Amino acid sequence: MINQYQSLVHQNIPLTEYMEWSIQKLAPSDISTLTQLTPNINVHGTAFAGSIYAAAMATGWTLLKCWNDHANYETELVAAEADIKYFRPVISDFECSAQLNKTHESYSKLINRLNENRSCAIKLPVEVTCNSELCAILKITFVFKC
Amino acid sequence: MINQYQSLVHQNIPLTEYMEWSIQKLAPSDISTLTQLTPNINVHGTAFAGSIYAAAMATGWTLLKCWNDHANYETELVAAEADIKYFRPVISDFECSAQLNKTHESYSKLINRLNENRSCAIKLPVEVTCNSELCAILKITFVFKC
């Protein structure tokens, strides 16, 4: 499954291949990705804020695309808005991880609306870590468009 | 001046060169950049949300770096947090533009603090347009670190 989604993302979002973004772990409600520092450096020799965001966005999108495909919904998945906080510089290759919280009421709402073929938004947090330290959190509002 | 900052950004943030991000207009308080769609497409054939953010972030950073250099401040310029709203798909090459509002009180505060060699944050909005339509707004909180 990793190879399938890795190919899907690299072929359709070529920026992720240039960034050397790769999927390490993938299940319909859990993802972890690794991004190399070298193609993503900034003037300080740390990761460019734009790269951190793009890696985390690709990670969140891939998780929800995988979840959607496994649930057999016919939707278009788009980002509506997002906010990111940078806590410390990313000084090495970095990990992005996200989980879909199935106990949250927004998850039940999502299922109910998609089952009625109605569009629905959901907010997904993606954590960015390097050397086991939390460096940034991106919270993305995705919309499943029916 | 455009060539100088274009080279600075492309050489130090290689992602921007891959993205075919280029400066169209640059003054210490005004910037406009153009980014090609092709290297930045997503699964829908429109611009990837991560690319839109990265292009806008590079635009905002370049404006404030240029302003800082012209004012001769010795600071390190970093992004602390940001939020972005996507209004419509970016379906072609796209422009990012930003202006430093010198009449806003945050500008006076910035000058005062930097003149005392103290770090200061400032919020900068960057507009993303394609075909003259507003597609996204990124609001970035930058910190000038003394």
Side-chain angles (χ1 to χ4, degrees):
Chain A
M1 190 158 77
I2 287 179
N3 288 347
Q4 176 194 344
Y5 282 89
Q6 174 95 38
S7 297
L8 173 77
V9 177
H10 278 182
Q11 285 170 19
N12 289 282
I13 312 176
L15 190 79
T16 59
E17 188 162 20
Y18 173 83
M19 291 173 61
E20 298 181 32
W21 172 96
S22 63
I23 303 171
Q24 302 293 299
K25 184 176 71 175
L26 180 61
S29 60
D30 192 9
I31 190 169
S32 171
T33 66
L34 186 67
T35 303
Q36 302 299 305
L37 177 62
T38 308
N40 296 297
I41 53 166
N42 64 13
V43 292
H44 312 298
T46 60
F48 170 45
S51 288
I52 295 169
Y53 179 100
M57 174 59 74
T59 301
W61 185 87
T62 303
L63 174 63
L64 294 192
K65 172 67 176 159
C66 177
W67 175 85
N68 178 86
D69 292 348
H70 278 73
N72 282 317
Y73 291 118
E74 300 258 340
T75 69
E76 186 184 14
L77 179 61
V78 299
E81 59 182 69
D83 66 86
I84 188 165
K85 291 191 193 329
Y86 300 97
F87 303 120
R88 52 172 60 84
V90 169
I91 58 173
S92 67
D93 303 341
F94 57 98
E95 186 180 292
C96 298
S97 61
Q99 294 80 39
L100 199 50
N101 183 352
K102 293 185 173 180
T103 63
H104 197 277
E105 64 182 80
S106 63
Y107 183 80
S108 316
K109 183 183 168 194
L110 177 66
I111 298 280
N112 291 340
R113 287 185 67 102
L114 294 183
N115 284 343
E116 294 168 356
N117 203 31
R118 295 164 69 198
S119 297
C120 188
I122 193 165
K123 199 165 187 170
L124 182 73
V126 182
E127 291 192 350
V128 180
T129 54
C130 83
N131 299 334
S132 303
E133 288 200 302
L134 182 65
C135 296
I137 292 182
L138 173 64
K139 293 179 183 166
I140 314 161
T141 302
F142 282 107
V143 179
F144 291 86
K145 295 171 80 173
C146 291
Chain B
M1 191 157 76
I2 287 179
N3 287 347
Q4 175 195 344
Y5 282 90
Q6 174 95 36
S7 298
L8 173 78
V9 176
H10 278 182
Q11 286 169 19
N12 289 281
I13 312 176
L15 189 78
T16 59
E17 189 163 19
Y18 173 82
M19 292 173 60
E20 299 182 31
W21 172 97
S22 63
I23 303 171
Q24 302 295 298
K25 184 176 71 175
L26 181 62
S29 59
D30 191 9
I31 190 170
S32 171
T33 66
L34 186 68
T35 303
Q36 302 299 306
L37 177 62
T38 307
N40 295 298
I41 54 165
N42 64 12
V43 292
H44 312 297
T46 60
F48 171 45
S51 287
I52 295 169
Y53 178 99
M57 173 60 73
T59 301
W61 185 87
T62 303
L63 174 62
L64 294 192
K65 172 68 176 159
C66 176
W67 175 85
N68 178 86
D69 293 349
H70 278 73
N72 282 316
Y73 291 118
E74 299 258 341
T75 69
E76 187 183 13
L77 179 61
V78 298
E81 59 183 68
D83 65 87
I84 188 165
K85 291 192 193 329
Y86 300 97
F87 303 119
R88 54 172 58 86
V90 169
I91 57 172
S92 67
D93 303 342
F94 58 97
E95 185 180 292
C96 299
S97 61
Q99 294 79 40
L100 198 52
N101 183 352
K102 292 186 173 181
T103 63
H104 197 277
E105 63 183 83
S106 63
Y107 183 81
S108 315
K109 184 185 167 194
L110 177 66
I111 298 281
N112 290 339
R113 286 185 67 103
L114 294 183
N115 285 342
E116 293 167 355
N117 204 30
R118 296 164 69 198
S119 297
C120 189
I122 194 164
K123 199 164 187 172
L124 183 74
V126 182
E127 291 191 351
V128 180
T129 54
C130 85
N131 299 334
S132 303
E133 287 200 303
L134 183 64
C135 296
I137 292 182
L138 173 64
K139 293 179 182 166
I140 315 161
T141 301
F142 281 107
V143 179
F144 290 87
K145 295 171 78 173
C146 293

